[in-house]
Amino acid sequence: MPASFQILGTGQLLELQRKLRAAGHENIRSSMQRRIRRAAEPLRNDLQSTVRGLSIQSAGRGAGKRGGPSPTTRPLRASIAQAIRISVRTGGNPGARVWLDKGLLPPDIPMGVVNRLNEGRLRHPVFGNKRRWAQQNTTPLWWDKTVRKHTPRITSEVARVLDDVRRRIE
């Protein structure tokens, strides 16, 4: 699976969470969650647009081979993009996480397909016929490269949010 991306400063976040609970500042906690979520939203949006625009090339049909329309009306890339989610927790294991929700993928798209898409190749049976297989290629590591591009910005943004909250409660 494309690795879920997490921003964790567990020591800082846990200590801050204890102080927030002791101080009883519910509005500061919700504000912190909202700001951390906002910091992660550009990453989610970029991942969604990257997967929607991902070019998937086929080796092509051989001479004399038949082709035809896709048996499914649901686009693969759009389905994957819709399953990308953000979760923010300030409780036991605090942090922000951008991940692919398996429950939101259609049943005929297993997680293995998404994993191999991130590896740069997609091998599948031709129209469900398990005796004939096709391979398609795409840009490898699209998930990882997108996450790497956003990591410094998100890390600094979350650190700034934590500093702001710490200043408000101390």
Side-chain angles (χ1 to χ4, degrees):
M1 167 178 130
S4 65
F5 173 68
Q6 299 183 48
I7 292 291
L8 299 173
T10 52
Q12 290 178 352
L13 281 172
L14 284 173
E15 181 61 30
L16 198 56
Q17 186 63 28
R18 278 193 284 275
K19 288 181 180 180
L20 279 172
R21 254 188 247 117
H25 292 293
E26 188 60 40
N27 60 343
I28 294 176
R29 186 183 328 181
S30 63
S31 170
M32 180 177 76
Q33 285 178 316
R34 185 175 52 253
R35 289 177 66 192
I36 291 174
R37 174 176 288 281
R38 266 197 226 129
E41 282 175 355
L43 171 61
R44 184 203 52 205
N45 296 342
D46 198 12
L47 283 168
Q48 288 175 332
S49 65
T50 300
V51 74
R52 282 188 182 109
L54 204 57
S55 173
I56 300 177
Q57 297 92 20
S58 174
R61 279 195 317 256
K65 302 285 184 179
R66 293 181 306 190
S70 171
T72 177
T73 58
R74 178 198 27 73
L76 171 71
R77 292 169 283 210
S79 298
I80 293 171
Q82 288 174 346
I84 297 174
R85 293 284 178 249
I86 300 174
S87 63
V88 176
R89 287 187 305 227
T90 56
N93 187 12
R97 182 174 168 214
V98 176
W99 53 290
L100 190 72
D101 189 353
K102 291 189 281 191
L104 294 176
L105 287 174
D108 60 334
I109 300 178
M111 276 304 291
V113 168
V114 180
N115 295 339
R116 284 185 287 288
L117 200 60
N118 189 47
E119 293 170 5
R121 64 183 173 82
L122 178 62
R123 191 168 181 267
H124 60 88
V126 177
F127 296 112
N129 180 356
K130 302 235 180 204
R131 289 181 285 165
R132 293 189 60 211
W133 288 76
Q135 178 162 326
Q136 293 176 296
N137 300 312
T138 187
T139 308
L141 302 175
W142 59 270
W143 180 281
D144 302 341
K145 289 175 183 174
T146 306
V147 167
R148 244 181 274 127
K149 183 173 74 175
H150 285 268
T151 300
R153 182 194 54 78
I154 293 174
T155 305
S156 65
E157 183 82 19
V158 169
R160 195 173 86 234
V161 169
L162 293 178
D163 288 342
D164 289 350
V165 171
R166 194 175 295 115
R167 273 195 304 272
R168 285 178 67 186
I169 64 171
E170 291 178 342

